[in-house]
Amino acid sequence: MNITVVFFLGLLIAIIGVIPPGLLNMTAAKISLKEGHNRGIVFSIGVCFIVFLQTYIAAMFARYLSNHPSTVEILRQVALVIFVLITIYFLFIAKSSPKPDIEPNIKSKQSRFFQGIFLSAINVFPIPYQAYMTISIAGFGWFAFDPMSILTYCSGAATGTFVILYVYIFFFDKINNKKFTSQKNMNKSIGIITAIVAVVTLVNILMDI
């Protein structure tokens, strides 16, 4: 497998997962607005360090599952149901709620780095998300669980995360008052993403029948 393709797969999948407004990208944006772009970037580097590790753990878990096809098939079916339910919830049920006002209190760049590490570490969603996505792209023949491919994919995931955080850091002030950052549109974005993942899951299941 071409490592360039693997890198961009990791980058694209990470972008899809991080692009909706959430704790990490909104925190990076607000740090940037209050303390300058440099501190927002330092925070983002801390986030991406953990994302790399989380993606690596996810790939190791996915490699283990890939050696147990019957388990993977069951997990795919469960994942399909879960993603469909999540899609229905965010597109048709979830209602707007006031966005929490995240007030950065720490001032040093070093603290911002460790703040990024901490907030990223408590956000465990990337592990099951990346584990499932690596199994899926491996099922399409786009990814192999060799050390070079795994490290390349993890690098792509970390880079994709940084790209989105960078966009939030430098352009948040331009989009903050627009519809993109509203709770309703955030719910819609998450619903669309989970719908896409559900479709990919269904295609994988049908291909194996």
Side-chain angles (χ1 to χ4, degrees), residues 24 39 41 49 61 65 86-87 155 207:
L24 297 177
R39 293 188 189 276
I41 290 174
F49 175 76
F61 182 60
L65 291 177
I86 292 174
T87 300
S155 299
M207 286 179 62

Side-chain angles (χ1 to χ4, degrees), residues 50-51 53-59 61-62 121 123-134:
I50 295 298
V51 167
L53 296 179
Q54 288 175 328
T55 306
Y56 184 82
I57 293 171
F61 182 60
N123 176 34
V124 297
F125 173 74
I127 295 177
Y129 172 71
Q130 289 289 2
Y132 174 75
M133 294 307 295
T134 50

Side-chain angles (χ1 to χ4, degrees), residues 16-17 19-21 80 82-94 125 182-200:
I16 292 172
I19 197 169
L80 176 61
I82 292 173
F83 283 122
V84 168
L85 291 176
I86 292 174
T87 300
I88 293 172
Y89 173 78
F90 279 106
L91 289 181
F92 304 108
I93 301 175
F125 173 74
S182 71
Q183 185 69 40
K184 181 179 179 180
N185 283 277
M186 177 180 172
N187 290 340
K188 187 179 295 184
S189 298
I190 296 173
I192 292 172
I193 290 171
T194 53
I196 293 172
V197 175
V199 170
V200 172

Side-chain angles (χ1 to χ4, degrees), residues 22-65:
L23 177 63
L24 297 177
N25 42 33
M26 297 297 282
T27 301
K30 292 192 175 184
I31 289 174
S32 175
L33 287 175
K34 291 178 178 294
E35 303 176 22
H37 297 329
N38 289 339
R39 293 188 189 276
I41 290 174
V42 170
F43 170 84
S44 301
I45 292 172
V47 170
C48 293
F49 175 76
I50 295 298
V51 167
F52 183 94
L53 296 179
Q54 288 175 328
T55 306
Y56 184 82
I57 293 171
M60 292 296 101
F61 182 60
R63 184 171 68 177
Y64 169 79
L65 291 177

Side-chain angles (χ1 to χ4, degrees), residues 11-24:
L11 184 143
L12 178 61
I13 289 171
I15 286 176
I16 292 172
V18 181
I19 197 169
L23 177 63
L24 297 177

